[in-house]
Amino acid sequence: MDILAKRYGFVNTFSYSTDMLTQEMFVGIVQETLISSACSIIAICLIVSLITGSFAVSGLTVFSVLLVDLFLGATVSVWDLTFNNIIVVHLVASLGISVLYTTHISQTFLLIEPPSQLEVKKQRLWKARVALSRIGSSVLHGGITTLLAVGIVGLLARRSYFFDVFYKLWLVIAISGMANAFFLIPNILSFAGPTPDFKEKNDEREKIFTQQ
């Protein structure tokens, strides 16, 4: 619009219309979406690394979050939704919501101390099973609660475009987030999850306490 105004407009004047606000929004929406998503992913990576102390778990969490955003992008295409500011808000918000499902399972996996007589491969599998049994119900309750809230919003979806987009995207966020937490993450951890030496760590803690 600025180019057209400079080329065909009068000198020292400017054109204005309410439709221009909508048109200008699409000029930088892709760039703003990428910047916001990148900043959110960097923040997630740093915070998860500080909380868990494991770069492997942090990378796994980022991978899971990116998958959820990929599913949302496919949903926008499949359901023929317009990529606008409302979609962008849900895409960025999904990064913070979906990370909860993965982090709970991964953090519990790290804290579980497996039997020392087991092999490393069997220790990973044992830890993944115990992690699901300990924290899986809480993650499932959170996902079901989100689905119930989304279902209520779905009753209003036909009356408003905003509720229609909210219902479709958050349905995908809850389902894909739980799918990653219950199927993808435990399987990856059972094959390549970190297995720290708990005996060595306990000895280090005892030395620190005795020195103090």
Side-chain angles (χ1 to χ4, degrees):
M1 298 303 296
D2 293 336
I3 296 175
L4 293 176
K6 290 179 181 178
R7 181 175 299 178
Y8 302 106
F10 294 101
V11 180
N12 297 326
T13 62
F14 65 92
S15 58
Y16 174 78
S17 173
T18 54
D19 294 335
M20 292 181 181
L21 299 177
T22 304
Q23 295 168 357
E24 287 291 333
M25 176 185 67
F26 292 101
V27 173
I29 191 171
V30 175
Q31 180 181 359
E32 293 296 329
T33 303
L34 294 176
I35 293 174
S36 299
S37 300
C39 292
S40 300
I41 291 172
I42 292 173
I44 289 172
C45 185
L46 293 176
I47 293 172
V48 174
S49 298
L50 291 174
I51 293 175
T52 62
S54 173
F55 291 106
V57 170
S58 178
L60 191 60
T61 302
V62 171
F63 174 69
S64 175
V65 168
L66 290 176
L67 277 181
V68 174
D69 251 23
L70 178 63
F71 296 151
L72 286 180
T75 302
V76 173
S77 177
V78 170
W79 268 325
D80 199 21
L81 299 174
T82 303
F83 189 77
N84 51 28
N85 55 341
I86 298 177
I87 300 291
V88 172
V89 170
H90 292 299
L91 284 174
V92 177
S94 68
L95 297 173
I97 299 299
S98 58
V99 71
L100 298 176
Y101 299 106
T102 305
T103 306
H104 286 306
I105 300 295
S106 303
Q107 174 71 2
T108 307
F109 179 89
L110 289 174
L111 296 178
I112 294 173
E113 184 175 354
S116 57
Q117 65 271 18
L118 295 178
E119 299 177 358
V120 176
K121 293 182 180 179
K122 293 183 179 180
Q123 284 183 0
R124 294 192 182 105
L125 181 60
W126 190 87
K127 291 178 66 174
R129 290 177 177 176
V130 176
L132 284 175
S133 64
R134 285 188 182 180
I135 200 67
S137 59
S138 300
V139 176
L140 181 62
H141 291 163
I144 291 175
T145 304
T146 304
L147 288 175
L148 289 175
V150 170
I152 295 173
V153 173
L155 298 175
L156 306 172
R158 296 182 180 180
R159 302 180 183 179
S160 170
Y161 172 77
F162 176 82
F163 286 120
D164 183 37
V165 172
F166 183 93
Y167 166 71
K168 291 177 179 179
L169 294 186
W170 279 80
L171 183 66
V172 175
I173 291 172
I175 293 176
S176 60
M178 286 193 295
N180 288 339
F182 287 110
F183 298 104
L184 178 65
I185 301 303
N187 277 286
I188 294 178
L189 290 175
S190 64
F191 283 103
T195 54
D197 190 348
F198 285 91
K199 184 178 179 181
E200 182 179 351
K201 287 191 173 184
N202 291 331
D203 294 338
E204 290 179 358
R205 292 192 186 100
E206 290 180 359
K207 289 180 181 179
I208 294 173
F209 288 138
T210 54
Q211 290 176 359
Q212 293 178 350

